Structure formats: structure tokens, C-alpha cells
Amino acid sequence: MHPESLMMSYGYHPEWSEGAIKCPIFQTSTFVFKTAEEGKAFFELAYGKRYARPGEIPGLIYSRLNNPNMQILEERLCLWDQAEEAAAFESGMSAIATTMLAFLKPGDAIVYGNPVYGGTHHFINHYLISIGVKVLDIHPKQEESEILELIESSGFKDHIRMLYIETPANPTNDLFDIHMVRRIADALQQHSGHTVKVVVDNTYLGPVFQHPLLHGADIVLYSATKYLGGHSDLIAGVVLGSHTDLEQIKHLRTFLGNMISPNTAWLLMRSIETLKIRMERQQKNALQVVDWLLKHPKITRVYYPGLPSQGERQVSIFHRQCVGSGAMISFDISRGESEAFRFLNRLKLIHLAVSLGSNESLAQHPYTMTHSDVPEADKQLHNITPSMIRLSIGIEHHEDLIADLEQALNF
Ligand SMILES: *Cc1c(COP(=O)(O)O)cnc(C)c1O
């Protein structure tokens, strides 16, 4: 069956909870063992002291290790990305930081794609560097050969353990070619003899419009605060991949204690029941808004996946790797910051706020808001100028969204 058919029921049986059709919130810290022998067996499995016997299911012990809401949520999330296993976290940043710490030790190196989410950028360039991890950044306009040369001349080619990208990149909607990143990882792996993980932040298009695991990624992760949550009322994160990789990540999660709470997991289970219809409606609205923006005389450029103005190479990556263009749009307004601010201050239906992916539409100014911390040279390289506005399109009626944009631009 398709994931959207299973989101209401998968992994939960009403007989577990007095026939309740919906999975209740298991708001509990600990679980009662039937016997001391059972408690002993659960711990043997939890600590990996022996393998499970045929038909033996690992029991619930304590909510930092596992909880029914966390487990059912993780099983449902696997369906969208066709992943073997998932781990849910209390935020997108805890999912990202735990994944990096699980695979990177002092002396190792990471190659990451720029632009990248501000929190991720900070974690790599401040925390990872401070513990002795070496760092190299690449950007979407570079060709494969150019990236291989950069790696060659970095001096730490044999220490690279992770290639980390965010695609589409925020806020320019530039795509990274996941197949190309996989090829680079394979070449590095062959050379050094150790594994090199390809990690993709799929927050912008996934899990409906892009499936990185099917294009060569080892690990896909999300800020579930965005489309997965979809209602601007929770903070959460998810990591998906193979059993072996997720075992390593979940092991660290157990000791950092940054797992999702039962209450947030329950909210997310409710959110993902409507994930597909929300994302499809948001994309449909976004396509209408893009068409309208392209014709507006005050708009000098629109950044949206698959648009010819993104460039030929970008369009070809789009057709190979994405099954939709999503609902994140950036555009340039003709006369810079003052006009951009006038427009933002005049919006009535669309809220002036950062974050994205929610059912209500949001607008913000990357240059002075989400990306204000990015060095000026990088801003110029990525076209993040004072003229740029970023929109996250929601599920409102598209005519009302366009009417709001129209009145806000009419000054
Ligand atoms: C928001 C976001 C994050 C961080 O997630 P939080 O849930 O805020 O911790 C990471 N990556 C991307 C692309 C994001 O948009």
C-alpha cells in the first residue's frame, strides 16, 4: 500500500488500548515488568548481550530507551522514505548533531554543501572544529571535477568520513546532485578503505517530493518542525537509514537523552496522517504563486526548483532527483532592502516569520533574518542579497495569497 493509506493505522492495534481507534499518548517514564525474568530478558536485548530468540520482541523498559509513541511514529516515518529504520529526536538540530557525532571523531573530516541551515553551519564551523574535526565546504555551482580537486588539495582526503548536503539549499532553491555526491563518497571509500556516509537534509522537499535514499544517500534527516509537523506547533527531528547506521545513532541518542517526547511523537503521528494532502496543496498553491510572480514587473527574479532561470544543470538534476517542486519560493524585489521591507510590512494574510512548511503561509527576509550570520562573501556567492524575500506557501486559497502579495507590492 501507499504510505498515505497506512498513516492512520500502521504499527498500532486498538486491542492494545481498550479498542481506542487512535493510539493514545503513553505519558509514562517507566514500564512494569510482568516478572523479574522478563525484566532480565529485556535488559539482555537492550544492552546487546545476546541476540533475540525466534519470535522474541524487545520489551519496553524506560522511555529514554523506547516508548510506544516514539516507536510507532518511527515505523510510520520509514514508509515514506522506504528506510529500514528511523530515529525521532526532540529537534531537527538534535537529529543533525547526534548523526554527526555518531560518525565523526577528532581527526576525521566532513565535506558539507553550502548554503546550509544556519544551525547546521554553526555546529560544523564552531563545535566540530573545536573538537578537532576538519571541515571543507562545497557549493551547488561546482562541477564534480572541481570538487574532487578541492578534496585532493585539502590535505585530509583520507580522513573524510561524511559528505553532508541540504537539497534544495536554503534560500536559493539550488539543488545538489545526490548521485554525484554518492560517486565522490564511493571514490573516497575505495581510496581510504573506510566508509564515507552520504547524509542529506531533506527538510525542504521530503518526504513526499524527494527520496534521497533511492538516489544513493546513506542517511536522510529532517527538521520535523517543518512539513512533517506542518502546523507551527512543535519542534522535532528525524533520522532514517539502514539498521546498522541507525543502531549507532540510537545508541548515542540513548546516552544524550535527546529522544522525542511521547506528547510530541503523538502530535507528529497526527500531523503525518495529512502530510501528503497538505504538501500537495501547498505545492499547487506555490505553482500558482510562481506563475504570478514571474509576470510581476517589480519582481526581477524567482528562485524555484525546476525553473529554467535556475540554469540547465539545475533543471536536469531536478528531473532526475525530485518528484515535485515543493512550496518554498524565493524572489528578488527590484530596489533592495527598503522595498523588501515595505512589502513585508504590508502583508496581511501571509505572516512575517521565519520557519517553513506549515499550513499557514510565511514570508521573511533571508539577508537580515535567517542568513544574517552568513559572511558577506558567501551571501554574494549564493545571491542572497537585500532584495531577496523567501516565502513558505501554506494551504490557504491561492487567490487570497496572490491578492495579498498584489496589495503588498502595490506601493
Ligand atoms: C529548521 C531546519 C533545521 C533545524 O531544525 P529544528 O527543528 O529547528 O531544530 C535543519 N535543517 C533545515 C533545512 C531546517 O529548515
Side-chain angles (χ1 to χ4, degrees):
M1 279 188 249
H2 298 81
E4 61 268 35
S5 305
L6 296 169
M7 280 307 109
M8 285 65 79
S9 58
Y10 190 73
Y12 169 73
H13 299 287
E15 59 266 33
W16 292 347
S17 307
E18 309 279 1
I21 188 163
K22 288 295 172 190
C23 177
I25 307 179
F26 287 84
Q27 191 69 55
T28 186
S29 59
T30 194
F31 298 86
V32 178
F33 306 134
K34 288 196 188 84
T35 60
E37 289 76 10
E38 189 187 70
K40 178 182 171 186
F42 287 180
F43 268 95
E44 284 170 348
L45 290 185
Y47 284 121
K49 290 188 163 175
R50 61 170 174 83
Y51 291 108
R53 301 187 181 99
E56 186 182 11
I57 299 162
L60 293 161
I61 297 174
Y62 185 67
S63 284
R64 178 157 46 74
L65 309 177
N66 206 351
N67 174 284
N69 294 112
M70 179 159 83
Q71 183 163 345
I72 297 166
L73 170 70
E74 289 170 351
E75 287 170 8
R76 289 185 188 176
L77 287 167
C78 283
L79 301 175
W80 295 99
D81 278 301
Q82 298 180 37
E84 283 177 14
E85 199 157 330
F89 287 84
E90 63 185 351
S91 69
M93 275 319 301
S94 61
I96 293 166
T98 306
T99 301
M100 289 181 176
L101 292 175
F103 295 105
L104 297 169
K105 303 280 170 285
D108 292 344
I110 179 174
V111 175
Y112 76 98
N114 234 340
V116 70
Y117 180 72
T120 311
H121 189 274
H122 192 94
F123 187 75
I124 293 172
N125 288 288
H126 294 269
Y127 188 73
L128 289 184
I129 284 183
S130 80
I131 63 165
V133 172
K134 298 185 181 67
V135 167
L136 173 69
D137 69 326
I138 57 174
H139 62 82
K141 296 196 176 67
Q142 288 166 333
E143 303 278 348
E144 188 166 352
S145 56
E146 208 177 327
I147 296 172
L148 288 168
E149 271 168 42
L150 280 174
I151 288 174
E152 202 62 57
S153 56
S154 68
F156 48 71
K157 180 180 174 187
D158 286 344
H159 300 277
I160 296 168
R161 290 280 186 169
M162 183 178 287
L163 304 181
Y164 182 100
I165 54 164
E166 197 175 300
T167 181
N170 175 11
T172 53
N173 274 326
D174 279 318
L175 304 174
F176 271 99
D177 183 347
I178 302 170
H179 290 272
M180 176 196 76
V181 177
R182 175 80 263 163
R183 280 196 300 277
I184 296 172
D186 287 344
L188 288 170
Q189 235 158 249
Q190 231 169 14
H191 194 264
S192 66
H194 57 61
T195 57
V196 178
K197 301 290 173 204
V198 173
V199 182
V200 177
D201 182 332
N202 200 31
T203 301
Y204 252 49
L205 281 184
V208 172
F209 300 129
Q210 183 172 261
H211 304 105
L213 297 179
L214 306 183
H215 297 277
D218 297 300
I219 293 169
V220 53
L221 45 79
Y222 295 93
S223 167
T225 311
K226 315 296 166 53
Y227 286 100
L228 290 168
H231 295 71
S232 295
D233 57 5
L234 62 84
I235 301 274
V238 185
V239 183
L240 301 111
S242 69
H243 287 306
T244 13
D245 285 348
L246 266 288
E247 193 173 63
Q248 215 165 315
I249 292 166
K250 282 184 167 178
H251 183 78
L252 186 55
R253 182 184 66 176
T254 292
F255 298 104
L256 294 177
N258 53 0
M259 68 291 156
I260 199 167
S261 74
N263 190 61
T264 306
W266 182 88
L267 274 170
L268 261 179
M269 280 162 70
R270 179 166 171 159
S271 286
I272 59 176
E273 292 183 5
T274 56
L275 176 69
K276 186 139 188 222
I277 57 168
R278 280 189 282 111
M279 287 192 78
E280 281 177 347
R281 170 63 178 262
Q282 285 170 274
Q283 173 174 267
K284 204 168 151 218
N285 280 349
L287 288 164
Q288 302 265 7
V289 169
V290 165
D291 275 349
W292 183 84
L293 286 169
L294 285 170
K295 293 188 207 111
H296 198 285
K298 276 197 175 126
I299 306 303
T300 53
R301 183 164 170 197
V302 180
Y303 305 78
Y304 188 66
L307 275 190
S309 55
Q310 297 288 94
E312 217 173 289
R313 181 164 166 236
Q314 284 289 313
V315 172
S316 94
I317 299 171
F318 174 75
H319 289 298
R320 192 160 60 244
Q321 170 171 306
C322 311
V323 289
S325 43
M328 293 301 298
I329 307 165
S330 292
F331 62 87
D332 291 336
I333 220 166
S334 47
R335 278 202 295 275
E337 183 173 305
S338 60
E339 276 209 357
F341 278 18
R342 251 165 113 180
F343 162 79
L344 287 169
N345 290 333
R346 288 170 59 89
L347 288 168
K348 292 187 174 123
L349 175 64
I350 301 171
H351 289 85
L352 173 52
V354 300
S355 196
L356 60 105
S358 185
N359 53 9
E360 76 277 315
S361 296
L362 303 176
Q364 65 110 1
H365 189 246
Y367 190 86
T368 59
M369 296 173 192
T370 49
H371 292 67
S372 63
D373 207 27
V374 174
E376 186 58 36
D378 283 358
K379 281 181 176 163
Q380 278 185 17
L381 179 69
H382 303 306
N383 270 346
I384 306 169
T385 69
S387 306
M388 183 183 262
I389 300 282
R390 189 189 79 182
L391 294 177
S392 168
I393 299 296
I395 61 169
E396 303 91 342
H397 198 293
H398 69 89
E399 288 171 7
D400 296 330
L401 291 172
I402 290 171
D404 194 30
L405 294 169
E406 178 141 50
Q407 68 76 24
L409 278 168
N410 187 20
F411 50 77

